[in-house]
Amino acid sequence: MAVTTPLPGWLKPVNRLVRLLSRVGLPLGTIHVLSVPGRSSGAMRTTPVSPLTVDGKRYILSPVPSSDWVRNAQAAGWGLLAAGRKSTRVRLEEVTDPVEKEAVLRAFPAAVPNGVPFFIHVGAVTSADPDEFAAAAPGSVVFLVV
């Protein structure tokens, strides 16, 4: 299912707050901050993400393939992933295998339960059902974090 709802108005202020809390070193559960170079400016752009591990591999995903951070990550292929004050340079490889994407999305509701309401709000899913998340794979972007 493709995202049909605009991003919520509260998202930018909340993202700013999360970035600030992360910068001062407060633990934020599954939330990390991903910085990727902008497509045009090259300036680092940051966004909160919740990585998850499936079959020993780490992933980051988005139900909004047209979001700036996704397009920047696709163009750059790398980013800085920070948990608190610790930052690591990572390679971001977009997953194109539909079976792998489905497996990652199927695992998301259990691994990142606080991320489920965002997927519901943007219209990617209507519930936390893992099968519904797997069905949303074609309209989502999944990056393997290397």
Side-chain angles (χ1 to χ4, degrees):
M1 174 187 313
V3 172
T4 57
T5 306
L7 295 177
W10 51 260
L11 187 61
K12 283 187 180 187
V14 168
N15 282 353
R16 277 190 218 109
L17 177 62
V18 167
R19 290 191 310 258
L20 173 69
L21 294 174
S22 178
R23 205 172 18 245
V24 298
L26 290 176
L28 300 169
T30 62
I31 299 175
H32 290 58
V33 174
L34 177 67
S35 300
V36 293
R39 296 180 305 284
S40 300
S41 69
M44 296 303 279
R45 307 293 184 190
T46 60
T47 191
V49 294
S50 289
L52 68 150
T53 302
V54 178
D55 295 332
K57 296 179 183 176
R58 199 167 184 198
Y59 297 92
I60 297 172
L61 55 105
S62 174
V64 187
S66 62
S67 66
D68 283 332
W69 83 262
V70 168
R71 296 183 336 192
N72 289 339
Q74 289 167 326
W78 70 276
L80 298 173
L81 189 60
R85 294 181 180 171
K86 182 183 177 193
S87 180
T88 306
R89 184 179 167 123
V90 295
R91 195 168 68 239
L92 300 168
E93 298 175 359
E94 189 169 353
V95 175
T96 57
D97 175 37
V99 174
E100 186 176 2
K101 282 178 72 170
E102 286 178 12
V104 173
L105 271 105
R106 184 180 308 281
F108 187 84
V112 189
N114 292 332
V116 171
F118 181 74
F119 274 71
I120 292 171
H121 182 84
V122 298
V125 297
T126 60
S127 73
D129 177 32
D131 291 334
E132 191 174 346
F133 269 77
S140 299
V141 175
V142 176
F143 291 102
L144 175 63
V145 178
V146 182

